[in-house]
Amino acid sequence: LSVSGHPTQILSDIFTIEEIKKKPVSKLQLCWIGDTNNVLNSLVEASVKFSFKLNIASPKKYPPSKNTLKIINRKNSKIKFFNDPKKAIFQADAVFADKFISINDKVNKKKKLKDFKNFQINKSLTKFAKKDFIFLHCLPASRGKEVTSEIIDGKNSIVWQQATNRYHLQKSILLYCLNKL
C-alpha cells in the first residue's frame, strides 16, 4: 500500500472475483466507480496485465493521474473512462468502490462529497449492472457516502470474502519473500 498504488489489494480482488465467478477475469467486465486513487491505479495496471475490460466512472473534476491516463490511452487498452456512472456500470460483472475521501486527502471534504453525490453505489445504480454482479470494497466503507448499506450488506456483496482473501494473499507474499514457498 502506498499513495500511488495498492497491488496486494488488487491481486486478492482478482483472485476473489475468479473464485466467485468461476471464470478468468479476462472474460469479465469490471467497473470502478468513485475517486481516482491508489487502488484504482493498481486496478488499471492489472487490467493491462490480465487483459480484462474495465470501465471507470468519476466526476470530470477528478481525472486519473497522468501516469494512469497514459495506461488507459494505450492502443490495446480495454479501459474506458466515463463521467456518467450509469454508462460505466452497464452490464458489469463486478463493481468496485472505495472511500470518496481517503486519509491523506487535503481537500474540502464537504465539496468533494457533493461532487461525488451521483457516484454512490446504490440500488438504482446497480440496476444497470448484470443481475448477478458482485460488489467489492477494500474497506472500511463509509455507508451512506460511496455505498449504501443495502448494497454492502446485500446478496451481491463479497467484501468479507475479499478481505479474508487479501489476508491470505499478503501472507503468501511474505512467505515467498522469505523463501518459504
Side-chain angles (χ1 to χ4, degrees), residues 49-98:
K49 177 73 176 164
F50 297 107
S51 192
F52 58 81
K53 292 179 185 174
L54 174 62
N55 289 345
I56 302 164
S58 191
K60 285 181 184 177
K61 296 178 186 176
Y62 302 89
S65 70
K66 288 180 183 177
N67 287 337
T68 301
L69 279 173
K70 283 181 190 175
I71 295 170
I72 291 170
N73 293 326
R74 283 186 184 165
K75 185 178 179 185
N76 296 326
S77 170
K78 293 182 176 184
I79 307 167
K80 294 180 182 173
F81 189 81
F82 299 87
N83 297 124
D84 181 348
K86 290 176 185 169
K87 290 180 181 176
I89 200 171
F90 185 74
Q91 292 297 300
D93 294 291
V95 178
F96 290 79
D98 194 2

Side-chain angles (χ1 to χ4, degrees), residues 33-35 59 85 96-102 105 108-125 135 137 140-153:
I33 297 179
D35 201 6
F96 290 79
D98 194 2
K99 288 183 160 298
F100 288 155
I101 300 172
S102 297
D105 269 357
N108 179 328
K109 293 177 181 167
K110 285 183 181 180
K111 182 183 180 323
K112 189 169 184 182
L113 287 174
K114 185 180 174 189
D115 291 343
F116 278 88
K117 188 177 103 182
N118 295 326
F119 291 80
Q120 179 189 68
I121 311 294
N122 55 42
K123 190 174 183 178
S124 64
L125 182 60
F135 175 74
H137 193 296
S142 299
R143 285 172 167 83
K145 292 184 180 146
E146 72 270 4
V147 62
T148 61
S149 293
E150 182 177 36
I151 297 298
I152 197 163
D153 298 326

Side-chain angles (χ1 to χ4, degrees), residues 10 12 25 29 33 40 54 59-60 71 103 114 118 128 142 147 164 169-170 180:
I10 296 306
S12 65
V25 72
Q29 181 172 309
I33 297 179
L40 174 63
L54 174 62
K60 285 181 184 177
I71 295 170
I103 294 170
K114 185 180 174 189
N118 295 326
F128 294 93
S142 299
V147 62
T164 300
L169 180 112
Q170 290 171 341
K180 300 289 183 184

